[in-house]
Amino acid sequence: MRIDEVLKKAAGLLVELPEEQQKPAKPWSVMDDPTPSQPIPARQPESKLADLKPAPTTRTVEQVVREAPGPNLDEIKPTANPAEPVIDGSGNVNYAMIYVLANLPSSPFTAEQVLELLATLPADLPMESKRSTVKITINAMAKATGVTSDAIVADASRKLTALAAYSKSYADQVAQFTTKADAEIAALLAEVDQRKRAIEDAKTKQAQMLDACAHETNRLDEVLEFFSLDIHPSKYAT
């Protein structure tokens, strides 16, 4: 999947608000003084009331980023700069440099560290178990580092956006360079063709000159032979 497609999908993903951040629904009471337009609901058995839990609150990734400290996704626009290369001679990309160019804030627990944590879990572990394990780890670190799932989601989303923006900027610069280089190559090829034609023209004129000089040489040689005692006198000799 292309970077822009991943980014578009990621921005619309839904994440669940942690339980400790959810506000429990206020139980109904006769003291609420319902109005005529709000009929008194039938009293529910206590067993059913215990089962009534607020539905999980969800937000899009974009909303999470907006609520987290740092730039919004539409504000992340790193520009590729030849003076600050992110690719070394071996073709390795320095992603940290891209994030610096994007002015991304640091995170107490990065998206990359989550990937490292997930890599330590058994591959056949169910997804829900993996999520529970990661949540437990985050909760254990929360007091000491201030890390939250929101911060991790925001970190991953901003880095995705930075990669997409940098890639587009890099592609635009390559396109501009390619267009300019193609024009220069076309001009050079035209000059090469012109030089080749000039060479062929010079060679043609050289052949013509040699023939003309040879002809004139033979003509003038007739004069010398005419006045000489050559065994084979000129055709003009008598």
Side-chain angles (χ1 to χ4, degrees), residues 18-59:
E19 293 182 1
E20 62 271 12
Q21 297 182 24
Q22 297 182 29
K23 294 182 178 180
K26 180 182 178 182
W28 177 84
S29 169
V30 293
M31 300 302 295
D32 286 342
D33 189 22
T35 62
S37 60
Q38 298 174 328
I40 299 176
R43 181 177 178 83
Q44 299 291 336
E46 292 185 3
S47 59
K48 289 187 176 181
L49 287 175
D51 293 336
L52 293 177
K53 295 181 180 180
T57 302
T58 58
R59 295 163 298 164

Side-chain angles (χ1 to χ4, degrees), residues 161-230:
T161 304
L163 292 173
Y166 188 88
S167 296
K168 184 179 184 305
S169 174
Y170 199 95
D172 290 343
Q173 291 191 19
V174 170
Q176 293 174 5
F177 170 79
T178 301
T179 300
K180 181 180 178 181
D182 283 341
E184 292 174 348
I185 290 173
L188 290 172
L189 290 176
E191 184 177 353
V192 168
D193 288 339
Q194 183 180 4
R195 295 293 181 88
K196 286 182 177 180
R197 289 194 297 269
I199 290 172
E200 293 301 322
D201 182 61
K203 288 181 177 180
T204 299
K205 290 180 178 178
Q206 178 190 21
Q208 293 173 346
M209 180 61 68
L210 289 175
D211 289 343
C213 288
H215 177 73
E216 187 66 10
T217 297
N218 292 332
R219 241 176 34 94
L220 294 175
D221 185 56
E222 293 288 345
V223 175
L224 294 180
E225 289 185 357
F226 179 81
F227 288 100
S228 68
L229 298 176
D230 200 318

Side-chain angles (χ1 to χ4, degrees), residues 7 62 65-79 99 101-105 157-158 161-162 165:
L7 180 62
E62 187 174 8
V65 175
R66 287 185 178 278
E67 296 170 6
N72 296 330
L73 297 183
D74 57 357
E75 298 172 338
I76 300 174
K77 300 175 181 179
T79 301
Y99 305 147
L101 293 173
N103 295 319
L104 299 189
S157 302
R158 286 172 177 145
T161 304

